[in-house]
Coordinates of all heavy atoms in Angstrom, one line a residue:
M1 N 13.9 -7.1 45.2 CA 13.4 -8.1 44.4 C 12.1 -7.7 43.7 O 11.9 -8.0 42.6 CB 13.1 -9.3 45.3 CG 12.6 -10.6 44.6 SD 13.7 -11.5 43.6 CE 14.7 -12.4 44.7
G2 N 11.3 -6.9 44.4 CA 10.0 -6.4 43.8 C 10.3 -5.4 42.6 O 9.5 -5.4 41.7
E3 N 11.4 -4.6 42.7 CA 11.7 -3.7 41.6 C 12.0 -4.4 40.4 O 11.7 -4.0 39.3 CB 12.8 -2.8 42.1 CG 12.4 -1.7 43.0 CD 13.6 -0.8 43.4 OE1 14.5 -0.6 42.5 OE2 13.7 -0.3 44.5
Q4 N 12.7 -5.5 40.5 CA 13.2 -6.2 39.3 C 12.0 -6.8 38.6 O 11.9 -6.8 37.3 CB 14.2 -7.3 39.6 CG 14.8 -8.0 38.4 CD 16.0 -8.8 38.8 OE1 16.3 -8.9 40.0 NE2 16.6 -9.4 37.8
K5 N 11.0 -7.3 39.3 CA 9.8 -7.8 38.7 C 9.0 -6.7 38.0 O 8.4 -7.0 36.9 CB 8.9 -8.5 39.7 CG 9.4 -9.8 40.2 CD 8.4 -10.5 41.1 CE 9.0 -11.8 41.6 NZ 8.1 -12.5 42.6
Q6 N 9.0 -5.5 38.5 CA 8.3 -4.4 37.9 C 9.0 -4.0 36.6 O 8.4 -3.7 35.6 CB 8.2 -3.2 38.8 CG 7.2 -3.4 39.9 CD 7.2 -2.2 40.9 OE1 8.0 -1.3 40.8 NE2 6.2 -2.2 41.8
K7 N 10.3 -4.0 36.6 CA 11.1 -3.7 35.4 C 10.8 -4.7 34.3 O 10.7 -4.4 33.1 CB 12.6 -3.6 35.7 CG 13.0 -2.4 36.5 CD 14.5 -2.4 36.7 CE 14.9 -1.1 37.5 NZ 16.3 -1.1 37.8
E8 N 10.8 -6.0 34.7 CA 10.5 -7.0 33.7 C 9.1 -6.9 33.1 O 8.8 -7.1 32.0 CB 10.7 -8.4 34.3 CG 12.1 -8.8 34.6 CD 12.3 -10.1 35.3 OE1 11.3 -10.8 35.4 OE2 13.4 -10.4 35.7
A9 N 8.1 -6.5 34.0 CA 6.8 -6.3 33.5 C 6.6 -5.1 32.6 O 5.8 -5.1 31.7 CB 5.8 -6.1 34.7
K10 N 7.5 -4.1 32.8 CA 7.4 -2.9 32.0 C 8.2 -3.0 30.7 O 8.1 -2.2 29.8 CB 8.0 -1.7 32.7 CG 7.1 -1.2 33.9 CD 7.7 0.0 34.5 CE 6.9 0.4 35.7 NZ 7.5 1.6 36.4
K11 N 8.9 -4.1 30.5 CA 9.7 -4.3 29.3 C 8.8 -4.4 28.1 O 7.8 -5.1 28.1 CB 10.5 -5.7 29.4 CG 11.5 -5.9 28.4 CD 12.3 -7.1 28.6 CE 13.3 -7.3 27.6 NZ 14.1 -8.6 27.8
A12 N 9.2 -3.6 27.1 CA 8.4 -3.5 25.9 C 8.3 -4.9 25.1 O 9.3 -5.5 24.9 CB 8.9 -2.5 24.9
V13 N 7.1 -5.2 24.7 CA 6.9 -6.5 24.0 C 6.3 -6.1 22.6 O 5.3 -5.5 22.5 CB 6.0 -7.4 24.7 CG1 5.7 -8.7 23.9 CG2 6.5 -7.8 26.1
F14 N 7.1 -6.4 21.6 CA 6.6 -6.1 20.2 C 5.7 -7.2 19.7 O 6.0 -8.4 20.0 CB 7.8 -5.9 19.3 CG 8.5 -4.6 19.6 CD1 9.8 -4.7 20.2 CD2 8.0 -3.4 19.3 CE1 10.5 -3.5 20.5 CE2 8.7 -2.2 19.6 CZ 9.9 -2.3 20.2
I15 N 4.8 -6.9 18.9 CA 3.9 -7.9 18.3 C 4.6 -8.7 17.3 O 4.5 -9.9 17.2 CB 2.6 -7.2 17.7 CG1 1.8 -6.6 18.8 CG2 1.7 -8.2 17.0 CD1 0.7 -5.7 18.3
F16 N 5.3 -8.0 16.4 CA 6.1 -8.7 15.4 C 7.5 -8.7 15.7 O 8.1 -8.0 16.4 CB 5.9 -7.9 14.0 CG 4.4 -7.8 13.6 CD1 3.8 -6.6 13.5 CD2 3.7 -9.0 13.3 CE1 2.5 -6.5 13.1 CE2 2.4 -8.9 12.9 CZ 1.8 -7.7 12.8
G17 N 8.2 -9.7 15.0 CA 9.7 -9.8 15.2 C 10.4 -9.0 14.1 O 9.8 -8.4 13.2
K18 N 11.7 -9.1 14.2 CA 12.6 -8.3 13.2 C 12.3 -8.8 11.8 O 12.3 -8.0 10.9 CB 14.0 -8.6 13.6 CG 15.0 -7.7 12.9 CD 16.4 -8.0 13.4 CE 17.4 -7.2 12.7 NZ 18.8 -7.4 13.2
K19 N 12.1 -10.1 11.6 CA 11.9 -10.6 10.3 C 10.6 -10.1 9.7 O 10.5 -9.8 8.5 CB 11.8 -12.2 10.4 CG 11.9 -12.9 9.1 CD 12.0 -14.4 9.4 CE 12.2 -15.2 8.1 NZ 12.3 -16.6 8.3
N20 N 9.5 -10.0 10.5 CA 8.3 -9.4 10.1 C 8.4 -8.0 9.6 O 7.9 -7.6 8.5 CB 7.2 -9.5 11.2 CG 6.9 -10.8 11.6 OD1 7.6 -11.5 12.4 ND2 5.8 -11.3 11.2
Y21 N 9.1 -7.2 10.3 CA 9.3 -5.8 10.0 C 10.1 -5.6 8.7 O 9.9 -4.7 7.9 CB 10.0 -5.0 11.1 CG 9.0 -4.7 12.2 CD1 9.2 -5.3 13.5 CD2 7.9 -3.9 12.0 CE1 8.3 -5.0 14.5 CE2 7.0 -3.7 13.1 CZ 7.2 -4.2 14.3 OH 6.3 -4.0 15.3
K22 N 11.1 -6.5 8.5 CA 11.9 -6.5 7.2 C 10.9 -6.7 6.0 O 11.0 -6.0 5.0 CB 13.0 -7.5 7.2 CG 14.2 -7.2 8.0 CD 15.2 -8.3 7.9 CE 16.4 -8.1 8.7 NZ 17.4 -9.2 8.7
F23 N 10.1 -7.7 6.1 CA 9.2 -8.0 5.0 C 8.2 -6.9 4.9 O 7.7 -6.6 3.7 CB 8.5 -9.4 5.2 CG 9.3 -10.5 4.8 CD1 9.9 -11.4 5.7 CD2 9.5 -10.8 3.5 CE1 10.6 -12.5 5.3 CE2 10.3 -11.9 3.1 CZ 10.8 -12.7 4.0
M24 N 7.7 -6.3 6.0 CA 6.8 -5.2 5.9 C 7.4 -4.0 5.1 O 6.7 -3.4 4.3 CB 6.3 -4.7 7.2 CG 5.3 -5.6 7.8 SD 4.7 -4.9 9.4 CE 3.7 -6.2 10.0
F25 N 8.7 -3.6 5.4 CA 9.3 -2.5 4.7 C 9.5 -2.9 3.2 O 9.4 -2.0 2.4 CB 10.6 -2.1 5.4 CG 10.4 -1.4 6.7 CD1 11.0 -1.9 7.9 CD2 9.5 -0.3 6.8 CE1 10.8 -1.2 9.1 CE2 9.3 0.3 8.0 CZ 9.9 -0.1 9.1
I26 N 9.9 -4.1 2.9 CA 10.0 -4.5 1.5 C 8.7 -4.4 0.8 O 8.6 -3.9 -0.3 CB 10.6 -6.0 1.4 CG1 12.0 -6.0 1.9 CG2 10.4 -6.5 0.0 CD1 12.5 -7.4 2.1
G27 N 7.6 -4.8 1.4 CA 6.3 -4.7 0.8 C 5.9 -3.2 0.6 O 5.3 -2.9 -0.4
L28 N 6.2 -2.4 1.6 CA 5.8 -1.0 1.4 C 6.7 -0.3 0.3 O 6.1 0.5 -0.4 CB 6.1 -0.2 2.8 CG 5.1 -0.4 3.9 CD1 5.5 0.3 5.1 CD2 3.8 0.2 3.4
A29 N 7.9 -0.7 0.2 CA 8.7 -0.2 -0.9 C 8.2 -0.7 -2.3 O 8.1 0.2 -3.2 CB 10.2 -0.7 -0.8
C30 N 7.7 -1.9 -2.4 CA 7.1 -2.4 -3.6 C 5.8 -1.6 -4.0 O 5.6 -1.2 -5.1 CB 6.7 -3.8 -3.6 SG 8.1 -4.9 -3.7
I31 N 5.0 -1.3 -3.0 CA 3.8 -0.6 -3.2 C 4.1 0.9 -3.6 O 3.5 1.4 -4.6 CB 2.9 -0.6 -1.9 CG1 2.4 -2.0 -1.6 CG2 1.7 0.4 -2.0 CD1 1.8 -2.1 -0.3
A32 N 5.0 1.5 -2.9 CA 5.4 2.9 -3.3 C 6.0 2.9 -4.7 O 5.7 3.8 -5.5 CB 6.4 3.4 -2.3
L33 N 6.9 2.0 -5.0 CA 7.4 2.0 -6.4 C 6.4 1.8 -7.4 O 6.4 2.4 -8.5 CB 8.5 0.8 -6.5 CG 9.2 0.7 -7.8 CD1 10.0 2.0 -8.1 CD2 10.1 -0.5 -7.8
G34 N 5.4 0.9 -7.2 CA 4.3 0.7 -8.1 C 3.5 2.0 -8.3 O 3.2 2.4 -9.5
F35 N 3.2 2.8 -7.3 CA 2.5 4.0 -7.4 C 3.3 5.1 -8.1 O 2.8 5.9 -8.9 CB 2.0 4.5 -6.1 CG 0.7 3.9 -5.7 CD1 0.7 3.0 -4.6 CD2 -0.5 4.1 -6.3 CE1 -0.5 2.4 -4.2 CE2 -1.7 3.4 -6.0 CZ -1.7 2.6 -4.9
I36 N 4.6 5.1 -7.9 CA 5.5 6.0 -8.6 C 5.5 5.7 -10.1 O 5.5 6.6 -10.9 CB 6.9 6.0 -8.0 CG1 6.9 6.6 -6.6 CG2 7.9 6.7 -8.9 CD1 8.1 6.4 -5.8
L37 N 5.6 4.4 -10.4 CA 5.6 4.0 -11.8 C 4.2 4.3 -12.5 O 4.2 4.5 -13.7 CB 5.9 2.6 -12.0 CG 7.4 2.2 -11.7 CD1 7.5 0.6 -11.8 CD2 8.3 2.8 -12.6
M38 N 3.2 4.4 -11.8 CA 1.9 4.7 -12.3 C 1.7 6.2 -12.6 O 0.9 6.5 -13.5 CB 0.7 4.3 -11.4 CG 0.1 2.9 -11.7 SD -1.3 2.7 -10.7 CE -0.7 1.5 -9.5
S39 N 2.4 7.0 -12.0 CA 2.2 8.4 -12.1 C 2.7 9.0 -13.5 O 3.5 8.3 -14.1 CB 2.9 9.2 -11.0 OG 4.3 9.0 -11.1
G40 N 2.2 10.1 -13.8 CA 2.7 10.8 -15.0 C 1.9 10.4 -16.3 O 0.9 9.7 -16.2
G41 N 2.4 10.8 -17.4 CA 1.8 10.4 -18.7 C 0.6 11.3 -19.1 O 0.1 11.1 -20.2
G42 N 0.3 12.3 -18.3 CA -0.8 13.2 -18.6 C -0.3 14.3 -19.6 O 0.8 14.3 -20.0
S43 N -1.2 15.2 -19.9 CA -0.9 16.3 -20.8 C -1.3 17.6 -20.0 O -2.3 17.6 -19.3 CB -1.7 16.1 -22.1 OG -1.5 17.3 -22.9
D44 N -0.5 18.6 -20.3 CA -0.8 19.9 -19.7 C -2.1 20.6 -20.3 O -2.8 21.3 -19.7 CB 0.4 20.9 -19.8 CG 1.6 20.4 -19.0 OD1 1.3 19.7 -18.0 OD2 2.7 20.7 -19.4
D45 N -2.2 20.3 -21.6 CA -3.4 20.8 -22.3 C -4.5 19.8 -22.4 O -4.3 18.7 -23.0 CB -2.9 21.2 -23.8 CG -4.0 21.9 -24.5 OD1 -5.0 22.3 -24.0 OD2 -3.8 22.1 -25.8
P46 N -5.7 20.0 -21.9 CA -6.7 19.0 -21.9 C -7.2 18.7 -23.3 O -7.9 17.7 -23.5 CB -7.8 19.6 -21.1 CG -7.5 21.1 -21.0 CD -6.1 21.3 -21.2
N47 N -6.9 19.5 -24.3 CA -7.4 19.2 -25.7 C -6.4 18.3 -26.5 O -6.7 17.9 -27.6 CB -7.5 20.6 -26.4 CG -8.6 21.4 -25.8 OD1 -9.6 20.9 -25.4 ND2 -8.4 22.7 -25.8
V48 N -5.2 18.0 -25.9 CA -4.2 17.2 -26.5 C -4.2 15.8 -25.9 O -4.1 15.7 -24.7 CB -2.8 17.9 -26.5 CG1 -1.8 17.0 -27.1 CG2 -2.9 19.2 -27.1
F49 N -4.3 14.8 -26.7 CA -4.3 13.4 -26.2 C -2.9 12.9 -26.1 O -2.1 13.1 -27.1 CB -5.2 12.5 -27.0 CG -5.1 11.1 -26.6 CD1 -5.8 10.6 -25.4 CD2 -4.4 10.1 -27.3 CE1 -5.7 9.3 -25.0 CE2 -4.4 8.8 -26.9 CZ -5.0 8.4 -25.8
N50 N -2.5 12.3 -25.1 CA -1.1 11.8 -24.9 C -1.3 10.2 -24.8 O -1.7 9.7 -23.8 CB -0.4 12.3 -23.7 CG 1.0 11.9 -23.6 OD1 1.5 11.2 -24.5 ND2 1.7 12.4 -22.6
P51 N -0.9 9.5 -25.8 CA -1.0 8.0 -25.8 C -0.1 7.3 -24.8 O -0.2 6.2 -24.5 CB -0.7 7.6 -27.2 CG 0.1 8.6 -27.8 CD -0.3 9.9 -27.1
E52 N 0.9 8.1 -24.2 CA 1.8 7.6 -23.2 C 1.1 7.1 -22.0 O 1.6 6.3 -21.2 CB 2.8 8.6 -22.9 CG 4.0 8.1 -22.1 CD 4.8 7.1 -22.7 OE1 4.9 7.1 -24.0 OE2 5.4 6.2 -22.0
I53 N -0.1 7.5 -21.7 CA -0.9 7.1 -20.6 C -1.2 5.6 -20.6 O -1.4 4.9 -19.6 CB -2.2 7.9 -20.4 CG1 -2.8 7.8 -19.0 CG2 -3.2 7.6 -21.5 CD1 -3.8 8.7 -18.7
F54 N -1.2 5.0 -21.8 CA -1.5 3.6 -22.0 C -0.2 2.8 -22.2 O -0.3 1.7 -22.8 CB -2.4 3.4 -23.2 CG -3.8 4.0 -23.0 CD1 -4.2 5.0 -23.8 CD2 -4.6 3.6 -22.0 CE1 -5.4 5.7 -23.7 CE2 -5.8 4.2 -21.8 CZ -6.2 5.2 -22.6
S55 N 0.9 3.2 -21.6 CA 2.1 2.5 -21.8 C 2.1 1.2 -21.0 O 1.4 1.0 -20.0 CB 3.3 3.3 -21.4 OG 3.3 3.5 -20.0
W56 N 3.0 0.2 -21.4 CA 3.1 -1.1 -20.7 C 3.4 -0.9 -19.2 O 2.9 -1.6 -18.3 CB 4.1 -1.9 -21.4 CG 4.3 -3.3 -20.8 CD1 3.5 -4.3 -21.1 CD2 5.2 -3.7 -19.8 NE1 4.0 -5.4 -20.4 CE2 5.0 -5.0 -19.5 CE3 6.2 -3.0 -19.1 CZ2 5.7 -5.7 -18.6 CZ3 7.0 -3.7 -18.2 CH2 6.7 -5.1 -17.9
R57 N 4.2 0.1 -18.9 CA 4.7 0.3 -17.5 C 3.5 0.7 -16.6 O 3.4 0.3 -15.5 CB 5.7 1.5 -17.5 CG 6.3 1.8 -16.2 CD 7.2 2.9 -16.2 NE 6.4 4.1 -16.2 CZ 6.9 5.3 -16.4 NH1 8.2 5.5 -16.7 NH2 6.1 6.4 -16.4
R58 N 2.6 1.6 -17.1 CA 1.5 2.1 -16.3 C 0.3 1.1 -16.3 O -0.5 1.1 -15.3 CB 1.0 3.4 -16.9 CG 2.0 4.5 -16.6 CD 1.4 5.8 -17.1 NE 2.4 6.8 -16.8 CZ 3.3 7.2 -17.6 NH1 3.4 6.7 -18.8 NH2 4.2 8.2 -17.3
I59 N 0.1 0.3 -17.3 CA -1.0 -0.7 -17.4 C -0.7 -2.0 -16.8 O -1.5 -2.6 -16.2 CB -1.5 -0.8 -18.9 CG1 -1.9 0.5 -19.4 CG2 -2.6 -1.8 -19.0 CD1 -3.1 1.1 -18.7
R60 N 0.5 -2.5 -17.0 CA 0.9 -3.9 -16.5 C 1.8 -3.9 -15.3 O 1.6 -4.6 -14.3 CB 1.5 -4.6 -17.7 CG 0.6 -4.8 -18.9 CD -0.2 -6.1 -18.8 NE -0.8 -6.4 -20.1 CZ -2.1 -6.1 -20.3 NH1 -2.8 -5.5 -19.4 NH2 -2.6 -6.4 -21.5
L61 N 2.9 -3.2 -15.4 CA 4.0 -3.4 -14.5 C 3.6 -2.7 -13.1 O 3.8 -3.4 -12.1 CB 5.3 -2.7 -15.0 CG 6.5 -2.8 -14.1 CD1 6.9 -4.2 -13.9 CD2 7.7 -2.0 -14.7
A62 N 3.2 -1.5 -13.1 CA 2.9 -0.8 -11.9 C 1.8 -1.5 -11.0 O 2.0 -1.7 -9.8 CB 2.5 0.6 -12.1
P63 N 0.7 -1.9 -11.6 CA -0.4 -2.6 -10.8 C 0.1 -3.9 -10.3 O -0.2 -4.3 -9.1 CB -1.5 -2.8 -11.8 CG -1.4 -1.7 -12.8 CD 0.1 -1.5 -12.9
M64 N 1.0 -4.6 -11.0 CA 1.5 -5.9 -10.6 C 2.4 -5.7 -9.4 O 2.4 -6.5 -8.4 CB 2.2 -6.7 -11.7 CG 1.2 -7.2 -12.7 SD -0.1 -8.2 -12.0 CE 0.9 -9.6 -11.4
L65 N 3.2 -4.6 -9.4 CA 4.1 -4.3 -8.3 C 3.3 -4.0 -7.0 O 3.6 -4.4 -5.9 CB 5.0 -3.1 -8.6 CG 6.3 -3.5 -9.2 CD1 7.1 -2.2 -9.6 CD2 7.2 -4.3 -8.3
V66 N 2.2 -3.2 -7.2 CA 1.3 -2.9 -6.1 C 0.7 -4.1 -5.5 O 0.7 -4.3 -4.3 CB 0.3 -1.9 -6.5 CG1 -0.7 -1.7 -5.4 CG2 0.9 -0.5 -6.9
L67 N 0.2 -5.0 -6.3 CA -0.4 -6.3 -5.8 C 0.7 -7.2 -5.2 O 0.4 -7.8 -4.1 CB -1.1 -7.0 -7.0 CG -2.4 -6.4 -7.5 CD1 -2.9 -7.1 -8.7 CD2 -3.4 -6.3 -6.4
L68 N 1.8 -7.2 -5.7 CA 2.9 -8.0 -5.1 C 3.3 -7.4 -3.8 O 3.5 -8.2 -2.8 CB 4.2 -8.0 -6.0 CG 5.4 -8.7 -5.5 CD1 5.2 -10.2 -5.5 CD2 6.6 -8.3 -6.3
G69 N 3.3 -6.1 -3.6 CA 3.6 -5.4 -2.4 C 2.5 -5.8 -1.3 O 2.9 -6.1 -0.2
F70 N 1.3 -5.8 -1.7 CA 0.2 -6.2 -0.8 C 0.3 -7.6 -0.4 O 0.1 -8.0 0.8 CB -1.2 -5.9 -1.4 CG -1.6 -4.4 -1.3 CD1 -2.0 -3.8 -2.5 CD2 -1.5 -3.7 -0.2 CE1 -2.4 -2.5 -2.5 CE2 -1.8 -2.4 -0.1 CZ -2.3 -1.8 -1.3
G71 N 0.7 -8.5 -1.3 CA 0.9 -9.9 -1.0 C 2.1 -10.1 0.0 O 2.0 -10.9 1.0
I72 N 3.1 -9.3 -0.2 CA 4.3 -9.4 0.8 C 3.8 -8.9 2.2 O 4.2 -9.4 3.2 CB 5.5 -8.6 0.2 CG1 6.0 -9.2 -1.0 CG2 6.5 -8.4 1.3 CD1 7.1 -8.4 -1.7
E73 N 3.0 -7.8 2.2 CA 2.5 -7.3 3.5 C 1.7 -8.4 4.2 O 1.8 -8.6 5.4 CB 1.6 -6.1 3.2 CG 2.4 -4.9 2.8 CD 3.3 -4.3 3.9 OE1 3.0 -4.4 5.1 OE2 4.4 -3.9 3.6
I74 N 0.8 -9.1 3.5 CA 0.0 -10.1 4.1 C 0.9 -11.2 4.6 O 0.7 -11.7 5.7 CB -1.0 -10.7 3.1 CG1 -2.1 -9.6 2.8 CG2 -1.7 -12.0 3.6 CD1 -3.0 -9.9 1.7
Y75 N 1.9 -11.6 3.8 CA 2.9 -12.6 4.3 C 3.6 -12.2 5.6 O 3.8 -12.9 6.5 CB 3.9 -12.9 3.2 CG 5.0 -13.9 3.6 CD1 4.7 -15.2 3.7 CD2 6.3 -13.4 3.8 CE1 5.7 -16.1 4.1 CE2 7.3 -14.3 4.2 CZ 7.0 -15.6 4.4 OH 8.0 -16.5 4.8
A76 N 4.0 -10.9 5.6 CA 4.7 -10.4 6.8 C 3.9 -10.4 8.0 O 4.4 -10.7 9.1 CB 5.2 -8.9 6.5
I77 N 2.6 -10.1 7.9 CA 1.7 -10.2 9.0 C 1.5 -11.6 9.5 O 1.5 -11.8 10.7 CB 0.3 -9.5 8.7 CG1 0.6 -8.0 8.5 CG2 -0.7 -9.7 9.7 CD1 -0.6 -7.3 7.9
L78 N 1.4 -12.5 8.6 CA 1.1 -13.9 9.0 C 2.3 -14.7 9.4 O 2.2 -15.8 9.9 CB 0.3 -14.6 7.8 CG -1.0 -14.1 7.5 CD1 -1.6 -14.8 6.3 CD2 -2.0 -14.1 8.7
L79 N 3.5 -14.2 9.1 CA 4.7 -14.9 9.4 C 4.9 -15.0 10.9 O 4.8 -14.1 11.6 CB 5.9 -14.1 8.8 CG 7.3 -14.7 8.9 CD1 7.4 -16.0 8.1 CD2 8.4 -13.7 8.4
N80 N 5.3 -16.2 11.3 CA 5.6 -16.5 12.7 C 7.0 -16.3 13.0 O 7.9 -17.1 12.6 CB 5.1 -17.9 13.0 CG 5.2 -18.2 14.5 OD1 5.6 -17.4 15.3 ND2 4.8 -19.4 14.9
P81 N 7.4 -15.2 13.7 CA 8.8 -14.9 14.0 C 9.5 -15.9 15.0 O 10.7 -16.0 15.0 CB 8.8 -13.5 14.5 CG 7.5 -13.4 15.2 CD 6.5 -14.2 14.4
D82 N 8.7 -16.6 15.7 CA 9.2 -17.5 16.7 C 9.6 -18.9 16.2 O 10.3 -19.7 16.8 CB 8.2 -17.7 17.9 CG 8.0 -16.4 18.6 OD1 8.9 -15.6 18.6 OD2 6.9 -16.3 19.1
K83 N 9.1 -19.2 15.0 CA 9.4 -20.5 14.3 C 10.9 -20.5 14.0 O 11.5 -19.6 13.4 CB 8.6 -20.6 13.1 CG 8.6 -22.0 12.5 CD 7.6 -22.1 11.4 CE 7.6 -23.5 10.8 NZ 6.7 -23.6 9.7
K84 N 11.6 -21.6 14.3 CA 13.1 -21.7 14.2 C 13.5 -22.0 12.8 O 14.6 -21.6 12.4 CB 13.6 -22.8 15.1 CG 13.4 -22.5 16.6 CD 14.1 -21.3 17.0 CE 13.8 -20.9 18.4 NZ 14.2 -19.6 18.8
S85 N 12.7 -22.7 12.0 CA 13.1 -22.9 10.6 C 12.0 -23.0 9.6 O 10.9 -22.8 9.9 CB 14.0 -24.2 10.5 OG 13.2 -25.3 10.9

């Protein structure tokens, strides 16, 4: 009888539930995609200006994806996995 109580006490308890981790991975994917979209647009020669650095994708879309990802991360942390509906 004492062994069973010890096994129950050693049972791993996760802080977050499965739903929390799903949202966390979605948020991380959004953040990573935002940073990937921000990259590039430079020039190999420092004397040549490349106007592609100011494209809509790098100035508007990518930062919004990063902020959206951080918002999803905050939601995932604050989400209560034990709530039934």
Side-chain angles (χ1 to χ4, degrees):
M1 184 71 79
E3 283 182 33
Q4 189 167 0
K5 286 185 181 180
Q6 287 178 352
K7 286 182 183 178
E8 288 176 10
K10 290 182 182 179
K11 189 175 182 182
V13 177
F14 291 106
I15 296 173
F16 298 118
K18 188 176 180 181
K19 194 174 185 181
N20 295 79
Y21 285 116
K22 281 183 187 178
F23 278 107
M24 281 186 188
F25 287 127
I26 292 169
L28 283 175
C30 283
I31 293 169
L33 181 64
F35 278 111
I36 289 169
L37 289 175
M38 262 190 255
S39 68
S43 177
D44 294 333
D45 185 10
N47 296 323
V48 176
F49 177 73
N50 186 359
E52 189 62 29
I53 196 168
F54 298 115
S55 71
W56 182 84
R57 183 184 79 189
R58 289 186 180 92
I59 298 295
R60 301 269 192 258
L61 180 65
M64 289 306 295
L65 270 175
V66 172
L67 291 175
L68 177 73
F70 283 129
I72 292 171
E73 289 293 324
I74 291 169
Y75 176 74
I77 291 170
L78 296 177
L79 182 67
N80 187 358
D82 297 330
K83 194 173 179 181
K84 296 299 176 192
S85 58

